[in-house]
Amino acid sequence: MIRIGRICGQFIVNPTMDELSLSDLNLVYACTREKTLMIDVQAREISEKDLEAGLRLAHPEAVKYLEPQIRLAEKAGKQKKEYKLSMISEQTLEKVSNLAEAHIEAVFTDPSYSKFERGEALDKIGQDVKKALEEECDEESLQVLPKAVDTVRKRVIRKRIIAEGVRVDGRQLDEVRPIYCESGNLPILHGSSLFSRGDTQVLCTVTLGAPAEAQRLESLVGPPTKRFMLHYSFPPFCINEVGKRVGLNRREVGHGTLAEKALLAVLPPENDFPYTVRVNSEVMASDGSTSMATVCGGSMALMDAGIPLQEHVAGVSVGLVSEVDPSTGEIKDYRILTDILGLEDHLGDMDFKIAGTRIGVTAIQLDIKPAGIPLDIICECLEHAHKGRLQILDHMEREISAPRTQDDRNSPRLATLKYDNDTLRRLIGPLGALKRKIEEETGGRISVSDGTLTVVAKNRSVMEKVLEKVDFIIGREIEVGGIYKGVVTSVKEYGAFVEFNGGQQGLLHVSELSHEPVSRVSDVVSVGQQLSLRCIGQDVRGNIKLSLKAVSPRPGTDVKGVVEGSVPVNKQATDVWASVGDVSNGQNPELPMRKNETPGVNSSTSSTPAVLIRSAAECDEEEKASGFSQSSKSTLKSTLASKSNSKPKKSTSQSDFFSSTNIQKSTSFSQREREKLAECLFGTEDGDEDNKGTRAEAIVSAKNLKLGTKVAAKVYQVRAHGLVLDLGGGIRGMYRFENNEKKDFVVGDELLVKCSSFTGKGIPVVSLVDS
């Protein structure tokens, strides 16, 4: 036995586990010196031509290991025990053949028989032969009667296939049985399908779960969990029997594993589709190839669940009927059968299960009855399987050719959010009480891992309820333009304070209550009232300004209400997956960015910039990136100088400047300070060059305060190691005393300063500008 892998088109003999994880082929091949015994393949849509090349490479490589085994057996092997074969005598076989052959041939040549009807007719023939032997008192023949009758059946059916090329049910050798398939037949489930091929019928269902529900594996090698599971069930009723179900047997485990490997190749990556997926296959009726029917039904059920499969996967079983030369033991004639019946599997030489897409093979399993089959015949079967597989794929694609795209009410939703661990502990609550409460009230499920919160809901409405609860407890990052739900906590003369977004406070000013004038705040809002408000501003100290009129239509306009919780200006693309069109189209629905989220998640940029607090290093990088240099400063100075020398004169220039900035009457600048600052900016009427050299670049605000910005400041506090300065616009700056510097400053002194850096908390650090 040998294993073959392939990486970047190059075959590797006996690859390591690391190499196998990168390989698109996992071929296990067992053989004798001349013939093939067993093949097991898991691949990622490898073509039949490449697969044949891998098989032809594997055989001579595997033969190299035969000689060491023979030498080892000579040294350490034990002598084989002698045994006597239980053979049917020629006399008994001839007697049973004379009694049953004609009747068996009549049954096999009548294609109108169904599986159970054919079985009943053959059983009746066996009973008739038994009665005849009992009348003759032939005890020797009665002891081997079942085996003798089966030998006669095998000889009749094989002779007819090789001589006439006609099968038991009247099909040609390469003909696939009639196919019927249906998807979405159980709409209450996430995904379902029914696949019938002849008398074989399989019902497949799909269940989607959270990533935490993946199966845990206890193995020394391989991954610790498995997110895709396929369970194959072969109940007694599918073969018209009554029996007790006592758990899975080897056959069910093997067939389920084969179908699982076949479908695994076309599943989307875990990053694109993080659901745990379980496919359950119930065999409703069996007449051969139930494992390949499971592959076909499972592929349709996965697409019905909205899982974006790369391709449909279908499977077909190929059989072999051969005629052997008794003297040499070599095959002198053979016929390859496509889509074999259960009877052809039992009486034939091979059951070669091959599954794949239109592009290539994904899984193979070879079962044989003789002591080996030549590799040339095996390779010839690949092309027969490919033709049959294409016929089946045509029927499947006519039923469902792409993942479901409609917004189904039963489609589950999954959201993956990133938080720091402290925030997650706050969400879980003591002993998980808060988490359980959310799950009981909403019906969703929450799972927490290191820095990740996963929410699973059975539909979109449940998901929205869960996220709303999470938002209320944890909160989101406040964004200008975002709409939030809040509760009025207190009412003042100048407005109302609103609690929202996980306990944050915002001011709803009286001017933002309504488009119409408001005389009393209590006429519009009251304590405890729930409101949907838009954030219209936020300063560097975190004070939040809210507006009610921004989400209300103006009187006389036909404007639809704004959806609560939306953020039209700047949205965060949250990792949210749905089992329908959201995923299949490759687009995830967007939700607002969440508070305390770790960086690294893509977000769209906003047309309205929010308040940004940067460190000194970040500011240096940004200045370099924007080309901030001394030449740009000189250009700005020359521009301001040209303004100061042009008409109208100073007073007009001051008026024009203040009307074009964002300074309001409520700023801390007095009229004298405005005039002093304007002189610094535009110079005096006489065009004093000294003043030009000390101009500030702009009035300070949260948006334009950058390194090198010059502003007129007032001493706000005098401390032991420096000054706290009022930079205007509600912004405080810090100036540190240098060694041996005089410290005779008093509160209210006016200084011209320049922003030189920022602290880690975003506080400006300034330096004095020489006058």
Side-chain angles (χ1 to χ4, degrees):
M1 179 180 286
I2 199 170
R3 189 187 300 271
I4 299 292
R6 190 179 73 162
I7 301 177
C8 299
Q10 299 295 322
F11 289 109
I12 301 175
V13 179
N14 287 331
T16 64
M17 295 299 297
D18 292 336
E19 289 174 335
L20 204 58
S21 64
L22 302 174
S23 173
D24 63 352
L25 173 66
N26 184 2
L27 165 64
V28 179
Y29 182 86
C31 64
T32 63
R33 194 174 297 277
E34 297 176 351
K35 295 181 180 180
T36 300
L37 291 176
M38 187 274 292
I39 297 175
D40 188 273
V41 173
Q42 181 178 2
R44 299 175 190 167
E45 299 180 279
I46 185 173
S47 67
E48 280 77 5
K49 182 179 178 181
D50 293 342
L51 182 59
E52 180 179 348
L55 291 171
R56 295 195 180 278
L57 170 67
H59 189 89
E61 290 291 337
V63 169
K64 295 178 182 179
Y65 293 89
L66 294 177
E67 196 62 34
Q69 294 180 54
I70 294 173
R71 293 199 304 267
L72 178 63
E74 291 174 351
K75 292 182 178 180
K78 295 183 178 180
Q79 186 177 0
K80 294 183 180 297
K81 294 182 179 180
E82 295 183 359
Y83 60 93
K84 183 180 180 180
L85 292 175
S86 177
M87 303 293 291
I88 304 173
S89 65
E90 290 293 333
Q91 181 182 358
T92 300
L93 188 60
E94 183 179 358
K95 183 183 292 187
V96 172
S97 179
N98 292 334
L99 292 172
E101 185 172 353
H103 301 288
I104 292 174
E105 189 171 355
V107 173
F108 285 161
T109 55
D110 188 353
S112 63
Y113 279 108
S114 66
K115 173 188 175 180
F116 296 119
E117 291 172 345
R118 187 183 300 112
E120 291 173 356
L122 293 175
D123 289 342
K124 187 175 183 303
I125 294 173
Q127 294 297 326
D128 293 341
V129 173
K130 183 179 180 181
K131 289 180 182 179
L133 294 176
E134 287 175 347
E135 291 175 357
E136 298 178 6
C137 298
D138 190 348
E139 294 295 333
E140 181 184 352
S141 299
L142 287 173
Q143 289 179 356
V144 294
L145 178 61
K147 190 172 182 178
V149 172
D150 192 62
T151 302
V152 174
R153 291 178 185 175
K154 184 175 182 178
R155 188 168 61 190
V156 169
I157 193 172
R158 293 168 70 91
K159 180 180 177 181
R160 184 166 183 260
I161 289 174
I162 290 179
E164 303 176 18
V166 180
R167 301 163 69 171
V168 175
D169 54 357
R171 284 183 293 150
Q172 299 299 314
L173 299 181
D174 60 350
E175 186 178 350
V176 179
R177 287 174 285 175
I179 294 174
Y180 171 79
C181 47
E182 181 181 337
S183 63
N185 52 310
L186 300 174
I188 195 64
L189 303 179
H190 296 164
S192 61
S193 70
L194 186 69
F195 182 85
S196 300
R197 181 168 52 200
D199 289 335
T200 296
Q201 186 179 79
V202 170
L203 174 66
C204 290
T205 58
V206 172
T207 305
L208 303 178
E213 294 177 323
Q215 182 180 3
R216 292 187 177 92
L217 304 177
E218 295 181 358
S219 176
L220 296 177
V221 295
T225 60
K226 184 171 73 169
R227 72 182 185 102
F228 177 67
M229 297 161 279
L230 190 147
H231 296 151
Y232 169 95
S233 179
F234 193 88
F237 65 78
C238 70
I239 51 175
N240 210 26
E241 292 182 357
V242 177
K244 183 180 179 181
R245 296 287 292 163
V246 291
L248 297 177
N249 53 40
R250 292 186 304 165
R251 181 181 178 279
E252 290 176 307
V253 172
H255 280 42
T257 302
L258 174 62
E260 182 179 294
K261 290 192 296 185
L263 294 172
L264 192 62
V266 297
L267 284 180
E270 186 173 1
N271 292 336
D272 297 336
F273 195 82
Y275 287 99
T276 295
V277 182
R278 179 179 184 260
V279 179
N280 187 61
S281 173
E282 293 279 349
V283 180
M284 312 301 290
S286 172
D287 190 14
S289 303
T290 54
S291 61
M292 296 296 95
T294 295
V295 173
C296 302
S299 179
M300 291 194 300
L302 290 171
M303 279 202 176
D304 182 61
I307 299 176
L309 299 185
Q310 301 170 9
E311 293 277 344
H312 256 317
V313 184
V316 66
S317 289
V318 178
L320 177 70
V321 173
S322 61
E323 186 178 352
V324 180
D325 187 348
S327 59
T328 62
E330 298 295 329
I331 297 176
K332 62 180 182 180
D333 199 5
Y334 64 91
R335 297 289 183 272
I336 296 174
L337 313 179
T338 302
D339 185 24
I340 59 176
L341 300 172
L343 187 63
E344 293 169 335
D345 180 13
H346 173 65
L347 302 177
D349 297 331
M350 178 180 73
D351 181 11
F352 195 11
K353 305 179 184 70
I354 305 174
T357 66
R358 291 188 181 275
I359 300 174
V361 175
T362 59
I364 283 180
Q365 188 182 83
L366 173 64
D367 299 326
I368 63 172
K369 295 179 179 64
I373 294 176
L375 182 58
D376 291 338
I377 297 178
I378 297 294
C379 294
E380 186 181 346
C381 293
L382 295 176
E383 186 59 31
H384 288 260
H386 181 248
K387 293 179 180 178
R389 190 168 75 242
L390 294 181
Q391 297 179 40
I392 300 169
L393 287 170
D394 290 338
H395 286 84
M396 294 168 59
E397 290 174 355
R398 281 196 290 268
E399 174 61 25
I400 179 170
S401 59
R404 298 290 186 195
T405 56
Q406 74 270 20
D407 189 7
D408 192 350
R409 291 179 303 170
N410 298 314
S411 300
R413 296 291 186 271
L414 185 146
T416 303
L417 308 171
K418 299 292 183 179
Y419 295 99
D420 56 62
N421 291 329
D422 292 336
T423 303
L424 292 177
R425 279 192 287 270
R426 184 154 51 95
L427 175 65
I428 295 172
L431 300 176
L434 199 52
K435 170 179 171 291
R436 289 194 299 271
K437 181 180 178 182
I438 295 175
E439 292 177 336
E440 291 172 0
E441 293 178 352
T442 61
R445 283 177 292 172
I446 298 175
S447 59
V448 176
S449 59
D450 187 18
T452 303
L453 172 68
T454 303
V455 181
V456 182
K458 64 180 181 179
N459 52 43
R460 186 183 295 275
S461 63
V462 174
M463 175 62 74
E464 291 174 352
K465 292 179 182 178
V466 176
L467 294 181
E468 183 179 341
K469 294 282 186 181
V470 172
D471 285 344
F472 188 79
I473 296 172
I474 297 179
R476 302 198 301 261
E477 181 176 338
I478 301 300
E479 298 175 356
V480 176
I483 298 176
Y484 305 90
K485 284 185 177 180
V487 179
V488 178
T489 57
S490 63
V491 177
K492 306 295 182 182
E493 294 181 358
Y494 49 85
F497 285 97
V498 179
E499 182 178 343
F500 70 107
N501 198 45
Q504 290 183 287
Q505 290 279 349
L507 173 62
L508 175 59
H509 195 263
V510 63
S511 61
E512 296 295 336
L513 286 173
S514 174
H515 295 287
E516 302 294 333
V518 177
S519 58
R520 292 172 52 185
V521 177
S522 58
D523 293 340
V524 182
V525 295
S526 58
V527 176
Q529 183 178 352
Q530 291 188 351
L531 301 173
S532 291
L533 305 168
R534 185 188 298 277
C535 176
I536 59 174
Q538 182 182 13
D539 58 27
V540 292
R541 291 176 295 179
N543 297 327
I544 302 168
K545 298 179 182 179
L546 303 174
S547 175
L548 180 60
K549 70 179 183 180
V551 297
S552 304
R554 290 182 177 275
T557 59
D558 185 14
V559 180
K560 294 182 179 180
V562 183
V563 178
E564 294 179 353
S566 64
V567 184
V569 177
N570 186 14
K571 290 187 178 182
Q572 163 69 27
T574 307
D575 292 335
V576 178
W577 288 268
S579 66
V580 288
D582 313 82
V583 177
S584 61
N585 295 332
Q587 297 177 349
N588 294 336
E590 294 183 353
L591 292 175
M593 184 186 296
R594 311 206 167 262
K595 184 178 179 182
N596 300 324
E597 287 193 48
T598 57
V601 183
N602 295 331
S603 61
S604 58
T605 55
S606 169
S607 59
T608 305
V611 175
L612 181 63
I613 300 177
R614 300 180 296 260
S615 66
E618 291 173 333
C619 291
D620 291 341
E621 292 178 3
E622 183 171 332
E623 296 295 348
K624 292 177 182 179
S626 61
F628 190 88
S629 62
Q630 188 64 33
S631 60
S632 62
K633 294 180 182 179
S634 302
T635 304
L636 180 59
K637 289 182 179 181
S638 62
T639 303
L640 294 175
S642 63
K643 287 185 179 182
S644 66
N645 294 329
S646 61
K647 301 295 182 178
K649 294 192 181 289
K650 177 181 66 174
S651 59
T652 309
S653 299
Q654 292 174 13
S655 175
D656 291 342
F657 174 79
F658 286 111
S659 63
S660 63
T661 60
N662 294 328
I663 297 181
Q664 302 175 0
K665 294 181 179 179
S666 59
T667 61
S668 60
F669 285 99
S670 64
Q671 182 62 30
R672 181 173 177 274
E673 291 169 341
R674 289 170 180 259
E675 294 175 356
K676 183 178 181 63
L677 180 57
E679 289 178 359
C680 294
L681 289 167
F682 303 106
T684 61
E685 293 184 9
D686 298 330
D688 186 0
E689 294 297 330
D690 294 335
N691 288 334
K692 292 179 185 179
T694 58
R695 295 182 188 120
E697 295 183 9
I699 296 297
V700 66
S701 70
K703 294 183 179 179
N704 60 15
L705 183 59
K706 300 188 297 184
L707 293 178
T709 302
K710 298 177 182 179
V711 296
K714 294 177 64 175
V715 177
Y716 183 76
Q717 288 182 356
V718 180
R719 299 188 177 180
H721 301 286
L723 304 175
V724 178
L725 302 176
D726 183 359
L727 305 182
I731 299 177
R732 300 285 187 265
M734 180 173 62
Y735 171 70
R736 295 188 180 94
F737 292 142
E738 298 180 359
N739 294 332
N740 301 322
E741 184 180 359
K742 66 173 185 176
K743 304 178 182 178
D744 53 350
F745 296 96
V746 296
V747 175
D749 282 353
E750 296 177 354
L751 305 172
L752 187 62
V753 297
K754 179 175 66 175
C755 181
S756 57
S757 64
F758 291 87
T759 67
K761 297 183 179 180
I763 300 174
V765 178
V766 301
S767 59
L768 296 178
V769 177
D770 296 332
S771 58

